[in-house]
Amino acid sequence: MGASTLLAGAAGGLAAVLQMSGALKTAPLLDSLPFDLTTASLALLLPALAVVGATRRWTVSPALALPVTAAALLWLWLVLAGAWSSSSLVAEAKLPEVALLAPAMLAAGLLVGAEDTARRGFCRFCLGIGLLLAALIAWGASAGWAALARDLVRGSVHHQLAGLALATAAALAAVAAVEARGWLGRLGWWLAVVALALAALLPGGRTALLALLAGVAVAPALRLRGGAGLAWVLAVPTLVALGGLWLLLHPELAEGLRTLERLTAEPAGLEARRALWAEALRWGGEAAPFGLGTGGFGIAAGYGEWRGRYPHNHALEALAEAGLPGLLLWLGAFGGAVLVMFRLAAVVAPARLARIVALVLPVALTIMVSTDLGNRMAWFALGLALSLAVVARPPRPAWPGHAAHV
């Protein structure tokens, strides 16, 4: 294995740590690291990807033109929209993420998703991180979860981010399960899926649980394709319904499953989001056609300079703060990525398509109910989705027989 291949695998692992660093940094035992995991992984990832990018031959589909152009124009428009924003603090925090970090994350997602070794490394590390977090959540539930729960802000952030990592890992494990040969290998992967699903029931992430179920249903179906794939899609909700019925008949077993408790007994989260969505729609209309300006939603809605009060929906945030041009560009970028995936689904290798969907689907669901336009995970996931339109190949040998000496 050449040094370039090793570096590509390392880049994939670093990208996974960066993508899941929020969950790792807020997890018990890992929250006291003497360095910032996000900064460290990003600092190591960028030069590694630069080398990978320079040592591969890249083939780019014309389908990439629309979403990438729309994303670039959206970043530019959001910067311009900062000129008429009433916000100073939120805009000051968000604009560097939009103008500098978002393009880097999209490019990183493109490279990692397109290069085979980097993509495999990314998937392996995502699986490992998910299993690690599942173990930490199980430990926290039995030993130290009460201490974490006392810090409501930190606990809320952790259950959202950890749930996202668990959902991603479960979808990847389900894909590996349908690919495995022999009953022992399949059993091992299915036990991993079950362990990750049980862990997702503990911390309270409702969107993450839905993302996990969607990922486990859709990603393996894309790997199987045809009638087997359709049967898989139908089987998963049937099994979930049977499991839910069993818990209803045995309510004592559901005690302590915080996610289920929040699904059935805490409508406040949904009501709060509905109020934010309605407010974003109202201000999108009142501030049409150019919006409130980047970061201006919190002040207009009466929350002040508080970044935590954003519309909790990417499309509505683009409409409220960047107006109709912002919404159209957001649709061109993210909606364009969906079109790219549908367009290339029939020609991309099933294993690659299934894993990209497993990696992207949880983030796609999350950005519709949480995170703002400055969130790096959303832009990295957009790059992963668009990577289906890119193929990376090793460089041609410089002279006959050169490959034998590399």
Side-chain angles (χ1 to χ4, degrees):
M1 184 180 292
S4 178
T5 302
L6 288 172
L7 188 61
L14 288 168
V17 172
L18 175 63
Q19 185 74 335
M20 304 300 176
S21 62
L24 292 170
K25 290 192 299 184
T26 56
L29 302 181
L30 297 177
D31 56 355
S32 57
L33 289 173
F35 58 91
D36 182 72
L37 200 57
T38 302
T39 304
S41 55
L42 180 62
L44 293 171
L45 173 63
L46 293 181
L49 283 181
V51 175
V52 172
T55 55
R56 299 293 186 274
R57 292 180 292 134
W58 302 91
T59 303
V60 179
S61 168
L64 208 61
L66 171 63
V68 170
T69 302
L73 291 175
L74 177 59
W75 300 326
L76 176 60
W77 181 251
L78 288 170
V79 172
L80 293 175
W84 58 82
S85 173
S86 58
S87 169
S88 57
L89 298 179
V90 175
E92 182 180 346
K94 187 185 290 189
L95 283 174
E97 295 173 352
V98 168
L100 301 176
L101 191 58
M105 290 299 96
L106 188 147
L110 273 172
L111 295 177
V112 169
E115 212 283 334
D116 291 341
T117 304
R119 185 174 63 254
R120 285 194 293 268
F122 185 83
C123 291
R124 291 191 187 110
F125 268 74
C126 283
L127 266 168
I129 290 170
L131 292 171
L132 172 63
L133 289 171
L136 290 175
I137 287 171
W139 170 83
S142 61
W145 195 262
L148 178 63
R150 281 197 293 269
D151 186 343
L152 295 181
V153 174
R154 178 174 164 230
S156 173
V157 170
H158 177 65
H159 78 238
Q160 292 176 10
L161 295 174
L164 189 62
L166 294 172
T168 303
L172 289 171
V175 173
V178 301
E179 291 179 336
R181 295 183 178 180
W183 67 268
L184 191 59
R186 293 193 186 99
L187 178 62
W189 284 116
W190 282 124
L191 289 175
V193 173
V194 171
L196 291 161
L198 290 174
L201 291 174
L202 289 172
R206 293 171 290 190
T207 303
L209 178 61
L210 296 176
L212 187 149
L213 297 176
V216 170
V218 174
L222 293 172
R223 179 64 180 90
L224 293 169
R225 293 192 172 181
L230 179 60
W232 182 274
V233 171
L234 296 175
V236 171
T238 301
L239 291 174
V240 171
L242 291 174
L245 179 62
W246 188 74
L247 283 176
L248 286 175
L249 296 175
H250 303 82
E252 70 281 359
L253 298 176
E255 293 182 9
L257 301 181
R258 178 65 175 147
T259 305
L260 291 183
E261 292 173 1
R262 296 186 76 229
L263 275 173
T264 57
E266 288 189 17
L270 177 58
E271 291 176 0
R273 279 176 170 79
R274 288 173 62 183
L276 287 169
W277 296 339
E279 197 73 2
L281 279 171
R282 182 172 77 86
W283 281 107
E286 291 193 13
F290 299 128
L292 296 163
T294 305
F297 173 77
I299 293 175
Y303 301 111
E305 289 274 29
W306 183 11
R307 189 171 179 182
R309 280 297 180 262
Y310 51 89
H312 282 70
N313 179 287
H314 260 211
L316 292 178
E317 181 183 359
L319 173 64
E321 295 191 353
L324 293 176
L327 177 61
L328 290 174
L329 291 172
W330 185 90
L331 290 172
F334 288 88
V338 174
L339 292 177
V340 167
M341 296 183 76
F342 273 107
R343 180 178 176 181
L344 299 178
V347 297
V348 172
R352 180 182 178 186
L353 176 64
R355 284 176 170 80
I356 291 296
V357 169
L359 297 169
V360 169
L361 184 57
V363 181
L365 292 176
T366 300
I367 67 172
M368 302 313 291
V369 297
S370 188
T371 80
D372 65 17
L373 287 168
N375 185 278
R376 57 179 169 74
M377 296 180 72
W379 296 107
F380 187 89
L382 178 62
L384 286 174
L386 295 176
S387 71
L388 293 177
V390 182
V391 177
R393 296 183 178 88
R396 294 187 179 90
W399 60 83
H402 171 70
H405 301 289
V406 176

